[in-house]
Amino acid sequence: MGAIIAIVNNKGGVGKTTITTNLAHALANLQQEVLVIDADSQCNTSSFFFHGDVERVPAPNLYELLEDDAADVRDCIHAAPEYSRIAVLPTHPDLAGLEPVIIQRPDTGIRLMRDKLRDYAKTKYDFTLIDCPPNLGTFVMMAMVAADFVLVPLESGSKYSIDGIARTVGLIDDIRSEGQNKDLTLLRFLLNKARPRTIVARETHERLRERFPGRVFETVLSASTDLQQSEYLSETVIRSKPNSQLARLFRQLANEVVSLKEITTMQDAPSA
Ligand SMILES: Nc1ncnc2c1ncn2[C@@H]1O[C@H](COP(=O)(O)OP(=O)(O)OP(=O)(O)O)[C@@H](O)[C@H]1O
Ligand SMILES: [Mg+2]
């Protein structure tokens, strides 16, 4: 069975979208079948995969899936034009307007994503990555209720970044304890935008490991100007700068994620 990973941090600009797109590509290069879901009405991931142009994002998509009771998930998933083994469930800016409708159905609304796509995604794809908006609102809750794991990117060297994660961790605990998704697991924290060999980068990593032992990725993504060019081209850094340090780090991260999935799947297996 595949693993569903929600990429969550209520802080904006920490790299959720960059990590979603580049990790998806690195996993696909490891022969993994990947589904990318854009749960953010900013549509950054959606436009990234469809020629960098929000106008070219296909429909039906997540908007229709959540808005129309009769919509079928298979119709809402589209192959990424430039990337083998990556399928995308994109979204539309109007997604934000659905929030009040979903909130009116407190029990069923928050389960919509889980009910409509979890079984299909886990059967068809090795990995499903859900790019979340920078808040802990309705769509993030929906993603967490649908997911197996939460990956929390953090900006290296930012004290506020570490202080702010308490709310994200608290929400995971609430979703588990309230029974909306009792198996939801914090996969790992992932440090991003690190300035290598600086004291502050090292200290953030150490502080985080002390506070959350065994819950921090070994891979630390460095800050790199290579991303600006790749974003401009709507390409992953793995494609635009395959020999760069950041491309290598994303490949290393994908290997970590694949081995974590193997470990957790073994733990889930019923004992003989
Ligand atoms: N490792 C990095 N090195 C340099 N720049 C980076 C790195 N990671 C992300 N960025 C840049 O930081 C900005 C924010 O990144 P991104 O859009 O991925 O964050 P986000 O968490 O998805 O933001 P939002 O919360 O608005 O959805 C982008 O301009 C991106 O290019
Ligand atoms: Mg984003």
Side-chain angles (χ1 to χ4, degrees), residues 13 15-18 38 40 42 44-45 131-134:
K16 295 178 288 293
T17 300
T18 306
D38 190 357
D40 185 358
Q42 294 181 96
N44 296 146
T45 293
D131 184 19
C132 289

Side-chain angles (χ1 to χ4, degrees), residues 145-197:
V145 170
D148 300 300
F149 299 105
V150 180
L151 184 162
V152 184
L154 293 178
E155 214 167 307
S156 168
S158 156
K159 178 179 181 304
Y160 302 112
S161 198
I162 295 195
D163 291 347
I165 54 182
R167 288 182 59 212
T168 305
V169 175
L171 185 58
I172 298 174
D173 289 343
D174 290 349
I175 287 174
R176 286 165 61 105
S177 61
E178 287 165 18
Q180 289 150 317
N181 182 359
K182 60 182 175 35
D183 298 321
L184 185 66
T185 303
L186 170 65
L187 182 65
R188 291 284 187 272
F189 293 100
L190 172 60
L191 283 172
N192 185 26
K193 302 193 190 183
R195 310 239 163 244
R197 292 179 293 279

